[in-house]
Coordinates of all heavy atoms in Angstrom, one line a residue:
A328 N 21.9 -19.0 2.5 CA 20.7 -18.1 2.4 C 20.6 -17.7 1.0 O 21.6 -17.3 0.4 CB 21.0 -16.9 3.4
Q329 N 19.4 -17.7 0.5 CA 19.1 -17.3 -0.9 C 19.2 -15.8 -0.9 O 18.5 -15.1 -0.2 CB 17.8 -17.8 -1.4 CG 17.7 -19.3 -1.3 CD 16.3 -19.9 -1.6 OE1 15.4 -19.1 -1.8 NE2 16.2 -21.2 -1.5
K330 N 20.0 -15.2 -1.9 CA 20.1 -13.8 -2.0 C 19.0 -13.3 -2.8 O 18.5 -13.9 -3.8 CB 21.4 -13.5 -2.6 CG 22.7 -14.0 -1.9 CD 22.8 -13.3 -0.5 CE 24.1 -13.7 0.2 NZ 24.2 -13.1 1.5
Q331 N 18.5 -12.1 -2.5 CA 17.4 -11.4 -3.3 C 17.6 -9.9 -3.1 O 17.8 -9.4 -2.1 CB 16.0 -11.9 -2.8 CG 14.9 -11.5 -3.7 CD 13.6 -12.0 -3.1 OE1 13.3 -12.1 -1.9 NE2 12.7 -12.4 -4.0
S332 N 17.5 -9.2 -4.3 CA 17.6 -7.8 -4.3 C 16.4 -7.2 -3.5 O 15.3 -7.7 -3.5 CB 17.6 -7.3 -5.7 OG 17.5 -5.9 -5.8
L333 N 16.7 -6.1 -2.8 CA 15.7 -5.4 -2.0 C 14.5 -4.9 -2.9 O 13.4 -5.0 -2.6 CB 16.3 -4.3 -1.2 CG 17.1 -4.7 0.0 CD1 17.7 -3.4 0.7 CD2 16.3 -5.5 1.0
F334 N 14.9 -4.4 -4.1 CA 13.9 -3.9 -5.0 C 14.1 -4.5 -6.4 O 14.6 -3.9 -7.3 CB 14.0 -2.4 -5.1 CG 13.6 -1.7 -3.8 CD1 14.5 -1.1 -3.0 CD2 12.3 -1.6 -3.4 CE1 14.2 -0.4 -1.8 CE2 11.9 -1.0 -2.3 CZ 12.8 -0.4 -1.5
D335 N 13.8 -5.8 -6.5 CA 13.8 -6.5 -7.8 C 12.8 -5.8 -8.7 O 11.7 -5.6 -8.4 CB 13.5 -8.0 -7.5 CG 13.8 -8.8 -8.7 OD1 13.6 -8.4 -9.9 OD2 14.4 -9.9 -8.5
R336 N 13.3 -5.6 -9.9 CA 12.4 -4.9 -10.9 C 11.1 -5.7 -11.1 O 10.1 -5.1 -11.4 CB 13.2 -4.7 -12.2 CG 14.3 -3.7 -12.2 CD 15.0 -3.6 -13.5 NE 16.1 -2.7 -13.5 CZ 16.9 -2.5 -14.5 NH1 16.7 -3.1 -15.7 NH2 17.9 -1.6 -14.4
R337 N 11.3 -7.0 -11.1 CA 10.1 -7.9 -11.3 C 9.0 -7.7 -10.2 O 7.9 -8.1 -10.3 CB 10.5 -9.3 -11.4 CG 11.3 -9.6 -12.7 CD 11.9 -11.0 -12.6 NE 12.8 -11.2 -11.4 CZ 13.4 -12.3 -11.1 NH1 13.2 -13.4 -11.8 NH2 14.2 -12.4 -10.1
L338 N 9.5 -7.2 -9.0 CA 8.6 -7.1 -7.9 C 7.9 -5.7 -7.8 O 6.9 -5.6 -7.2 CB 9.3 -7.4 -6.6 CG 10.0 -8.7 -6.5 CD1 10.7 -8.8 -5.1 CD2 9.0 -9.9 -6.7
L339 N 8.5 -4.7 -8.4 CA 8.1 -3.3 -8.3 C 6.7 -3.1 -8.8 O 5.8 -2.5 -8.1 CB 9.1 -2.3 -8.9 CG 10.4 -2.2 -8.2 CD1 11.3 -1.2 -8.9 CD2 10.2 -1.7 -6.8
A340 N 6.5 -3.5 -10.1 CA 5.1 -3.3 -10.7 C 4.0 -4.0 -9.9 O 3.0 -3.4 -9.6 CB 5.2 -3.8 -12.2
P341 N 4.2 -5.3 -9.6 CA 3.1 -5.9 -8.8 C 2.9 -5.2 -7.4 O 1.8 -5.1 -6.9 CB 3.6 -7.4 -8.6 CG 4.5 -7.6 -9.7 CD 5.2 -6.3 -10.0
A342 N 4.0 -4.8 -6.8 CA 3.9 -4.1 -5.5 C 3.1 -2.8 -5.6 O 2.3 -2.4 -4.7 CB 5.3 -3.9 -4.9
I343 N 3.4 -2.1 -6.7 CA 2.6 -0.8 -6.9 C 1.1 -1.1 -7.1 O 0.3 -0.4 -6.5 CB 3.2 -0.1 -8.1 CG1 4.6 0.4 -7.8 CG2 2.3 1.1 -8.5 CD1 5.4 1.0 -9.0
V344 N 0.8 -2.1 -7.9 CA -0.6 -2.5 -8.1 C -1.2 -2.9 -6.7 O -2.3 -2.5 -6.4 CB -0.7 -3.6 -9.1 CG1 -2.2 -4.1 -9.2 CG2 -0.2 -3.2 -10.5
D345 N -0.5 -3.7 -5.9 CA -1.0 -4.1 -4.6 C -1.2 -2.9 -3.7 O -2.1 -3.0 -2.8 CB 0.0 -5.1 -4.0 CG -0.2 -6.5 -4.6 OD1 -1.1 -6.7 -5.4 OD2 0.8 -7.3 -4.4
S346 N -0.4 -1.9 -3.9 CA -0.5 -0.7 -3.0 C -1.9 -0.1 -3.2 O -2.5 0.4 -2.2 CB 0.5 0.3 -3.4 OG 1.8 -0.2 -3.1
F347 N -2.4 -0.1 -4.4 CA -3.8 0.4 -4.6 C -4.8 -0.6 -4.2 O -5.9 -0.2 -3.7 CB -4.0 0.8 -6.1 CG -3.2 2.0 -6.5 CD1 -1.9 2.0 -7.0 CD2 -3.8 3.3 -6.4 CE1 -1.2 3.1 -7.4 CE2 -3.2 4.4 -6.8 CZ -1.9 4.3 -7.3
R348 N -4.6 -1.9 -4.4 CA -5.5 -2.9 -3.9 C -5.7 -2.8 -2.4 O -6.8 -3.1 -1.9 CB -5.1 -4.3 -4.3 CG -5.2 -4.5 -5.8 CD -4.6 -5.9 -6.1 NE -4.7 -6.2 -7.6 CZ -4.1 -7.2 -8.1 NH1 -3.3 -8.1 -7.4 NH2 -4.2 -7.4 -9.4
K349 N -4.7 -2.5 -1.7 CA -4.7 -2.5 -0.2 C -5.5 -1.2 0.3 O -5.6 -1.0 1.5 CB -3.3 -2.5 0.3 CG -2.6 -3.9 0.2 CD -1.2 -3.8 0.7 CE -0.5 -5.2 0.6 NZ -1.1 -6.2 1.5
L350 N -6.0 -0.4 -0.6 CA -6.8 0.8 -0.2 C -8.2 0.3 0.2 O -9.0 1.1 0.7 CB -6.9 1.8 -1.3 CG -5.7 2.6 -1.7 CD1 -5.9 3.5 -2.9 CD2 -5.2 3.4 -0.5
N351 N -8.4 -1.0 0.0 CA -9.7 -1.6 0.5 C -9.8 -1.4 2.0 O -8.9 -1.8 2.7 CB -9.7 -3.1 0.1 CG -10.9 -3.8 0.6 OD1 -11.8 -3.3 1.3 ND2 -11.0 -5.1 0.3
P352 N -10.9 -0.8 2.5 CA -11.0 -0.6 3.9 C -10.8 -1.8 4.8 O -10.2 -1.7 5.9 CB -12.5 0.0 4.0 CG -12.8 0.6 2.7 CD -12.1 -0.3 1.7
A353 N -11.2 -3.0 4.3 CA -11.0 -4.2 5.1 C -9.5 -4.5 5.3 O -9.1 -4.9 6.3 CB -11.7 -5.4 4.4
S354 N -8.7 -4.1 4.3 CA -7.3 -4.3 4.4 C -6.6 -3.2 5.2 O -5.8 -3.5 6.1 CB -6.6 -4.3 3.0 OG -5.2 -4.5 3.0
L355 N -7.1 -2.0 5.0 CA -6.5 -0.9 5.8 C -6.8 -1.0 7.3 O -6.0 -0.6 8.1 CB -7.1 0.5 5.3 CG -6.6 0.9 3.9 CD1 -7.3 2.1 3.4 CD2 -5.1 1.2 3.9
A356 N -8.0 -1.6 7.6 CA -8.4 -1.7 9.0 C -7.4 -2.5 9.9 O -7.4 -2.4 11.1 CB -9.8 -2.2 9.1
K357 N -6.6 -3.3 9.2 CA -5.6 -4.1 10.0 C -4.5 -3.3 10.5 O -3.8 -3.7 11.4 CB -5.0 -5.2 9.1 CG -6.1 -6.2 8.5 CD -5.5 -7.2 7.6 CE -6.5 -8.1 7.0 NZ -5.9 -9.1 6.0
N358 N -4.3 -2.1 10.0 CA -3.3 -1.1 10.5 C -4.0 0.1 11.0 O -4.3 1.0 10.2 CB -2.3 -0.8 9.3 CG -1.1 -0.1 9.8 OD1 -1.1 0.7 10.8 ND2 0.0 -0.3 9.1
P359 N -4.2 0.3 12.3 CA -5.0 1.4 12.8 C -4.5 2.8 12.4 O -5.3 3.6 12.0 CB -4.9 1.2 14.3 CG -4.6 -0.2 14.5 CD -3.8 -0.6 13.3
V360 N -3.2 3.0 12.4 CA -2.7 4.3 12.1 C -2.9 4.7 10.7 O -3.3 5.8 10.3 CB -1.2 4.4 12.5 CG1 -0.6 5.7 12.0 CG2 -0.9 4.2 14.0
I361 N -2.6 3.8 9.8 CA -2.8 4.0 8.3 C -4.2 4.1 8.0 O -4.7 4.9 7.1 CB -2.0 3.0 7.5 CG1 -0.6 3.0 7.9 CG2 -2.2 3.2 6.0 CD1 0.1 4.3 7.7
F362 N -5.1 3.4 8.7 CA -6.5 3.4 8.5 C -7.0 4.8 8.8 O -7.8 5.4 8.1 CB -7.2 2.4 9.3 CG -8.7 2.3 9.2 CD1 -9.3 2.1 7.9 CD2 -9.6 2.6 10.2 CE1 -10.7 2.0 7.8 CE2 -10.9 2.6 10.1 CZ -11.5 2.3 8.9
I363 N -6.6 5.4 9.9 CA -7.0 6.7 10.3 C -6.5 7.7 9.3 O -7.2 8.7 8.9 CB -6.4 7.1 11.7 CG1 -7.1 6.2 12.8 CG2 -6.6 8.5 12.1 CD1 -6.5 6.3 14.2
T364 N -5.2 7.5 8.8 CA -4.7 8.4 7.8 C -5.5 8.4 6.6 O -5.8 9.4 5.9 CB -3.2 8.0 7.5 OG1 -2.4 8.0 8.7 CG2 -2.6 9.0 6.5
A365 N -5.9 7.2 6.1 CA -6.8 7.1 5.0 C -8.1 7.8 5.2 O -8.7 8.4 4.2 CB -7.0 5.6 4.6
L366 N -8.7 7.7 6.4 CA -10.0 8.3 6.6 C -9.9 9.8 6.5 O -10.7 10.5 5.9 CB -10.5 7.9 8.0 CG -11.0 6.5 8.2 CD1 -11.4 6.3 9.7 CD2 -12.2 6.3 7.3
V367 N -8.8 10.4 7.1 CA -8.7 11.9 7.1 C -8.3 12.3 5.7 O -8.7 13.4 5.3 CB -7.7 12.4 8.1 CG1 -8.2 12.1 9.5 CG2 -6.3 11.8 7.9
A368 N -7.6 11.5 4.9 CA -7.3 11.8 3.5 C -8.6 11.8 2.7 O -8.7 12.7 1.8 CB -6.3 10.8 3.0
A369 N -9.5 10.9 3.0 CA -10.7 10.9 2.3 C -11.6 12.1 2.6 O -12.2 12.7 1.8 CB -11.5 9.6 2.6
L370 N -11.5 12.5 3.9 CA -12.2 13.7 4.3 C -11.7 15.0 3.6 O -12.4 15.8 3.1 CB -12.2 13.9 5.8 CG -12.7 15.2 6.4 CD1 -14.2 15.3 6.1 CD2 -12.5 15.2 8.0
A371 N -10.3 15.0 3.6 CA -9.7 16.2 2.9 C -10.0 16.2 1.4 O -10.2 17.3 0.8 CB -8.2 16.1 3.1
T372 N -10.1 15.0 0.8 CA -10.5 15.0 -0.6 C -11.9 15.5 -0.8 O -12.2 16.3 -1.8 CB -10.4 13.5 -1.1 OG1 -9.1 13.0 -0.9 CG2 -10.7 13.4 -2.6
A373 N -12.8 15.1 0.1 CA -14.2 15.6 0.0 C -14.2 17.2 0.1 O -15.0 17.8 -0.6 CB -15.1 15.0 1.0
L374 N -13.5 17.7 1.1 CA -13.4 19.1 1.2 C -12.8 19.8 0.0 O -13.3 20.9 -0.4 CB -12.6 19.5 2.5 CG -13.2 19.0 3.8 CD1 -12.2 19.2 4.9 CD2 -14.5 19.7 4.1
L375 N -11.8 19.2 -0.6 CA -11.2 19.8 -1.8 C -12.2 19.8 -2.9 O -12.3 20.8 -3.7 CB -10.0 19.0 -2.2 CG -9.3 19.4 -3.5 CD1 -8.7 20.8 -3.3 CD2 -8.2 18.4 -3.8

């Protein structure tokens, strides 16, 4: 089995960038709970 660090430094920066890319509603919609969380976060932002 090929060994790989859980948090390889080379993977962290791309993963952080991908975290923002996945804010795309089409991507979020694949996960209903997180999609709902994003919707109410957007509503809270508008209220703020």
Side-chain angles (χ1 to χ4, degrees):
Q329 300 169 2
K330 301 292 184 182
Q331 190 177 37
S332 172
L333 286 177
F334 292 108
D335 192 318
R336 292 180 181 178
R337 295 170 297 179
L338 303 181
L339 288 178
I343 292 171
V344 173
D345 284 345
S346 299
F347 286 91
R348 288 178 180 167
K349 290 177 179 290
L350 291 176
N351 179 355
S354 177
L355 289 172
K357 298 176 183 178
N358 190 328
V360 175
I361 302 305
F362 181 62
I363 293 172
T364 305
L366 286 180
V367 296
L370 175 60
T372 303
L374 294 172
L375 176 63

